[in-house]
Amino acid sequence: MRIVLVGPPGAGKGTQAALLAERLSIPHISTGDLFRANISQGTELGEQVKSILSEGGLVPDEVTVAMAADRMARPDAAGGFLLDGFPRNIAQAKALDELLAEGGHALDAVLDLEIPEDEVVRRIAGRRTCVKDSSHTFHVQNKPPRAPGVCDVCGGELQQRDDDREETVRKRLAIYHEETEPIIGYYREQGLVSTIPAVAPVVEVTRRAIEALPARG
Ligand code: AP5
Ligand code: ZN
């Protein structure tokens, strides 16, 4: 299955993507995690995008689409994938459609995680992220690690993400409304969108998401 997960910063895309990907046996592809891995490894791409991420802006489309295409071309993604944080504007959505069409494929579903802004702020303020792998995320109240400040998965140190400062979060939210929300209309015209109310316990949101997916045949 080929799925896109969309929603504002802090909606729980990463949290749900990890669970859904495991459940559906498809890779979780997060452009945010890929950028952060490049930054922490000090690659040329990482150097190029570092300041954009810390300021909460969007990385240019050519760079993002090339990186996402590369990842989607890997063998583990041949049978499907779950995209988290990509596409993030109409140009990226069109580029994705073209990429898929070249391989004779199309998207099966777009899950839109719906959450009010005050909950975004609460979730992001309490989020702690693993320095070794940014897909390992915790929350001081909702999902505390077993040992304070230590990742349950890999033992890495937990920190607040660079772009999780309040001012940067406000900027990311504004960009979300302006650039990313329009893709929901774009996909709605293709009949692909399911809106998932995402203020609920993590397992309940996963249940709603699974229920919204088309039956596999
Ligand atoms: P990205 O990493 O994609 O960030 P984002 O979209 O802002 O999303 P977040 O990672 O902040 O939140 P999330 O929805 O994954 O929430 P999470 O599951 O962690 O992008 C970062 C940057 O990279 C961008 O700003 C941009 O610069 C660049 N970038 C990435 N993709 C790009 C693209 N396509 N084009 C251009 N630039 C791009 O959950 C949040 C917290 O809430 C956690 O602490 C979690 O434990 C908790 N939580 C989760 N679910 C629940 C629940 N149900 N109840 C209570 N708490 C919960
Ligand atoms: Zn970790």
Side-chain angles (χ1 to χ4, degrees):
M1 206 171 306
R2 294 175 176 81
I3 307 168
V4 165
L5 208 53
V6 67
K13 298 182 297 297
T15 302
Q16 292 303 326
L19 296 166
L20 290 168
E22 199 182 335
R23 188 90 157 251
L24 302 167
S25 305
I26 48 177
H28 165 202
I29 300 181
S30 156
T31 41
D33 286 338
L34 291 172
F35 286 134
R36 284 185 290 274
N38 274 279
I39 293 169
S40 64
Q41 287 156 19
T43 68
E44 203 182 317
L45 173 67
E47 285 305 312
Q48 199 183 339
V49 303
K50 197 174 178 173
S51 63
I52 302 177
L53 264 87
S54 72
E55 285 159 22
L58 289 190
V59 174
D61 292 340
E62 316 83 76
V63 177
T64 306
V65 171
M67 180 184 72
D70 231 47
R71 177 63 187 88
M72 285 187 281
R74 275 173 36 190
D76 66 336
F81 44 73
L82 200 159
L83 296 175
D84 156 16
F86 177 82
R88 232 178 174 90
N89 58 28
I90 296 278
Q92 292 183 11
K94 288 184 173 164
L96 174 62
D97 279 350
E98 279 167 28
L99 271 171
L100 290 172
E102 280 167 21
H105 301 300
L107 287 176
D108 297 292
V110 174
L111 302 176
D112 166 28
L113 297 184
E114 195 178 52
I115 155 178
E117 263 173 42
D118 56 346
E119 180 68 9
V120 164
V121 172
R122 212 179 61 79
R123 286 193 186 175
I124 288 188
R127 171 165 58 189
R128 296 295 178 269
T129 304
C130 177
V131 292
K132 287 194 185 159
D133 183 336
S134 71
S135 72
H136 304 160
T137 56
F138 299 84
H139 190 282
V140 288
Q141 279 126 25
N142 305 335
K143 191 191 170 190
R146 284 192 294 271
V150 182
C151 175
D152 287 358
V153 185
C154 74
E157 188 194 340
L158 298 181
Q159 282 183 359
Q160 189 148 34
R161 237 166 70 181
D162 218 26
D163 57 346
D164 279 354
R165 285 163 288 132
E166 199 184 323
E167 198 187 297
T168 316
V169 171
R170 268 202 293 272
K171 181 170 169 192
R172 285 160 58 201
L173 265 169
I175 292 177
Y176 176 76
H177 291 310
E178 204 168 304
E179 301 253 347
T180 308
E181 247 172 10
I183 73 170
I184 298 171
Y186 174 82
Y187 286 131
R188 196 161 270 141
E189 281 173 19
Q190 301 180 29
L192 289 170
V193 179
S194 295
T195 300
I196 314 292
V199 185
V202 171
V203 288
E204 172 59 16
V205 180
T206 310
R207 198 195 60 75
R208 291 174 187 173
I210 295 277
E211 207 175 80
L213 290 174
R216 279 182 285 176

